[in-house]
Amino acid sequence: MNAQRFTEPNLRRLGLLCALGALLAVCTPSSNDVVSRDEKPADACDKPTIVLVHGAFADASGWAGVIAPLRQQGYTVYAFANPLRSISGDAEYLRSFLSTLTGPLVLVGHSYGGAVITNAATGNPNVKALVYVAAYALDGGETLLAANALGGGQSELGDHLVLRPFPGGGTVDADGYIDPAFFRELFAGDLSEMDAAVLAASQRPAAASVFANPSGPPAWKDLPSWYLIARDDHTIPPEAQRVMAQRAGAQSVEIQSSHVAMISHPHVVTELIGEAAGCR
């Protein structure tokens, strides 16, 4: 046997070849394991981007308990900053934001945010589903005030608004805030007094005129919808929520929750979004 074959350089090369052979043996799929580029395992899912839209008297931070688990599940998530100025204007603002995103989208609206996604999603082929969390799923020409009366429910929200002027509002419009003394009762009854007080102090107002704005053609007529009904809601009557969910043909779930279900029951909201995304 030729001793030259076992010199140190040759031994190193031999070791490298053996390692490469072992790696190929491990990494090369057998004929039973091969998956074509056009095929995916049965449990694979193209996760849509989730866009969360807050409502009046709130801001995007209210979605924190939902954002974290969605991100852990591999979703790209945006919590949109809703201007709270008018249904048509806010929907156009969201529509512009959505135009910067690619791929499938699931829009999630809380409260007044539901009215915004209902309008912004119309005609957008990327939007695959709508999720309403104790939200307004308005019909064409319908207002928030009219929707509150659906099903015979009543809301005391209008009795406890504090109005403050804003530039350009003149004498016909003003910013509406929930009176902090009634905020927990109306908005966040299942949160602690301290947590509700923090929300009350940091609430973002909506222009009072939004409650009389007529909605445009509803996207839920063409898109699959999901709806979380909050039984203990004193902002949007549960009776009205049931009517809107049924009218939209939404897959709905009812829970004992105040208006801020995404804060008091984030796991339920997260699961509902997962169902809408089709990736549970």
Side-chain angles (χ1 to χ4, degrees):
M1 186 176 289
N2 189 346
Q4 289 293 332
R5 295 179 60 191
F6 296 96
T7 60
E8 184 176 347
N10 284 338
L11 285 173
R12 284 201 298 270
R13 284 194 292 271
L14 180 61
L16 179 61
L17 289 173
C18 289
L20 180 60
L23 180 62
L24 288 173
V26 171
C27 297
T28 302
S30 69
S31 59
N32 294 330
D33 296 331
V34 172
V35 178
S36 73
R37 292 185 180 181
D38 295 327
E39 297 177 359
K40 294 182 181 178
D43 61 349
C45 177
D46 289 326
K47 286 183 164 61
T49 296
I50 311 297
V51 180
L52 308 168
V53 182
H54 68 82
F57 321 117
D59 62 24
S61 66
W63 294 108
V66 173
I67 294 170
L70 286 175
R71 285 178 55 84
Q72 289 170 357
Q73 293 171 29
Y75 291 98
T76 298
V77 185
Y78 294 96
F80 173 77
N82 193 353
L84 308 177
R85 298 292 88 185
S86 70
I87 290 179
S88 60
D90 296 343
E92 184 60 32
Y93 195 81
L94 176 57
R95 196 175 291 113
S96 295
F97 178 82
L98 297 178
S99 71
T100 68
L101 306 179
T102 58
L105 305 170
V106 171
L107 306 189
V108 185
H110 170 244
S111 191
Y112 167 70
V116 177
I117 68 171
T118 294
N119 285 264
T122 300
N124 186 332
N126 287 340
V127 179
K128 303 305 178 185
L130 304 172
V131 181
Y132 295 92
V133 180
Y136 290 104
L138 299 180
D139 203 349
E142 193 170 46
T143 67
L144 304 182
L145 288 173
N148 270 352
L150 293 171
Q154 290 185 328
S155 173
E156 298 181 3
L157 177 65
D159 298 329
H160 301 293
L161 288 181
V162 177
L163 300 179
R164 296 187 171 98
F166 64 82
T171 60
V172 297
D173 206 359
D175 269 337
Y177 298 79
I178 297 177
D179 184 338
F182 294 90
F183 189 92
R184 185 169 184 245
E185 174 187 340
L186 292 171
F187 208 75
D190 51 0
L191 300 187
S192 69
E193 289 188 11
M194 180 56 69
D195 287 344
V198 170
L199 291 179
S202 59
Q203 64 179 297
R204 288 188 56 206
S209 60
V210 303
F211 292 95
N213 290 164
S215 185
W220 49 255
K221 287 192 173 181
D222 300 308
L223 293 172
S225 302
W226 280 255
Y227 200 113
L228 185 145
I229 298 166
R231 292 197 190 107
D232 297 329
D233 195 334
H234 296 292
T235 297
I236 302 177
E239 297 89 345
Q241 294 181 38
R242 294 186 187 103
V243 172
M244 287 187 283
Q246 184 177 20
R247 184 174 64 186
Q251 298 187 46
S252 60
V253 59
E254 288 198 21
I255 63 172
Q256 294 297 139
S257 175
S258 71
H259 190 56
V260 289
M262 70 287 188
I263 299 177
S264 57
H265 300 277
H267 59 290
V268 178
V269 174
T270 301
E271 287 182 4
L272 194 65
I273 294 171
E275 287 183 12
C279 295
R280 293 185 64 209

